[in-house]
Amino acid sequence: MAQKEEAAAAAAPASQNGEDLDDLENPEKLKELIELPPFEIVTGERLPVNFFKFQFRNVEYSSGRNKTFLCYVVEAQGKGGQVQASRGYLEDEHAAAHAEEAFFNTILPTFDPALRYNVTWYVSSSPCAACADRIIKTLGKTKNLRLLILVGRLFMWEEPEIQTALRKLKEAGCKLRIMKPQDFEYIWQNFVEQEEGQSKAFEPWEDIQENFLYYEEKLADILK
């Protein structure tokens, strides 16, 4: 079974992305943070290492993880069989728009109706009920889109509303599964910033396999 994070770790002064906040006494740093938009959709190709290690960790209790990080791979296939691929990531502040909605609002409009799209999401946690509903509606009206969602954790999976939403996702043709350790390694290699000229090997955290099995069992029980 997945282990609860130590209370001391949860209580430690850290931002929502897991970085230390000891430098907040620095007036320039504090000014920089205050001036940032409070709710902003952030986009990019690679996310910082500390964001990945904190936000994607497949713990059972996600204390302090108040964002959704969504890494995506888009494969577009034309009639000739040629495939063009693109990738990137989105993050949110769980406010005006979640990362799932941001994908549909910013990436989906660039799709060519004449092409077929296979999209894979690697998401830090599974969709909320509202985002699941948006996914279902989008799949229903976007016939050239197939979506696979891999999640690190299940969001509020004990809630009946969430369980119903996940089952409806499956019924709508959306493939949903829990990330295996190999999937976290894929994210590390393809979506996490590496030092220039270096490629550091992925180091699995303790209980990564055990926690995967825990969530896989929970998801299977929900979807059966």
Side-chain angles (χ1 to χ4, degrees):
M1 180 176 178
Q3 301 297 314
K4 185 174 181 178
E5 296 177 291
E6 295 182 5
S15 78
Q16 292 179 344
N17 292 324
E19 65 266 28
D20 294 334
L21 297 185
D22 294 336
D23 58 349
L24 287 190
E25 294 184 2
N26 182 328
E28 291 301 317
K29 179 64 176 179
L30 184 58
K31 180 174 182 291
E32 176 186 338
L33 290 176
I34 291 175
E35 290 179 347
L36 286 175
F39 302 116
E40 177 185 15
I41 296 298
V42 180
T43 64
E45 293 184 359
R46 290 185 177 267
L47 59 153
V49 171
N50 57 330
F51 286 19
F52 168 77
K53 289 184 176 180
F54 183 71
Q55 296 288 352
F56 274 92
R57 189 161 180 159
N58 60 346
V59 293
E60 180 182 355
Y61 297 97
S62 53
S63 299
R65 293 168 174 84
N66 299 321
K67 293 185 178 185
T68 299
F69 280 73
L70 187 158
C71 301
Y72 62 86
V73 177
V74 175
E75 295 181 335
Q77 184 174 4
K79 292 182 178 179
Q82 294 181 330
V83 176
Q84 295 180 330
S86 61
R87 68 188 181 202
Y89 85 91
L90 301 162
E91 69 174 271
D92 66 42
E93 294 283 357
H94 270 192
H98 292 186
E100 297 92 335
E101 287 187 274
F103 181 90
F104 293 135
N105 293 338
T106 61
I107 308 301
L108 185 64
T110 67
F111 284 12
D112 184 341
L115 303 179
R116 291 185 298 169
Y117 290 88
N118 291 316
V119 175
T120 303
W121 288 354
Y122 300 86
V123 195
S124 52
S125 63
S126 58
C128 66
C131 285
D133 184 62
R134 175 68 188 276
I135 293 169
I136 292 167
K137 290 179 179 178
T138 301
L139 290 176
K141 64 183 180 182
T142 313
K143 301 302 182 181
N144 62 333
L145 170 63
R146 292 182 178 178
L147 179 62
L148 166 63
I149 304 177
L150 297 90
V151 302
R153 303 182 301 275
L154 290 177
F155 172 72
M156 298 180 66
W157 61 268
E158 295 175 310
E159 296 295 327
E161 181 185 27
I162 296 295
Q163 294 183 7
T164 299
L166 295 179
R167 285 192 288 268
K168 287 183 177 180
L169 276 176
K170 179 183 177 182
E171 294 170 0
C174 177
K175 296 181 180 179
L176 179 68
R177 70 173 177 85
I178 305 298
M179 285 190 216
K180 302 176 181 179
Q182 299 94 313
D183 296 315
F184 291 106
E185 183 175 11
Y186 177 84
I187 297 172
W188 173 264
Q189 293 174 345
N190 293 280
F191 293 98
V192 177
E193 292 177 351
Q194 305 287 339
E195 294 185 13
E196 187 173 354
Q198 298 182 10
S199 181
K200 189 176 180 180
F202 173 65
E203 297 179 1
W205 48 84
E206 185 180 3
D207 298 333
I208 186 173
Q209 175 68 14
E210 183 179 353
N211 293 353
F212 155 66
L213 294 173
Y214 170 80
Y215 276 124
E216 185 180 50
E217 180 181 0
K218 297 301 180 187
L219 182 59
D221 287 341
I222 292 171
L223 297 182
K224 68 181 181 182

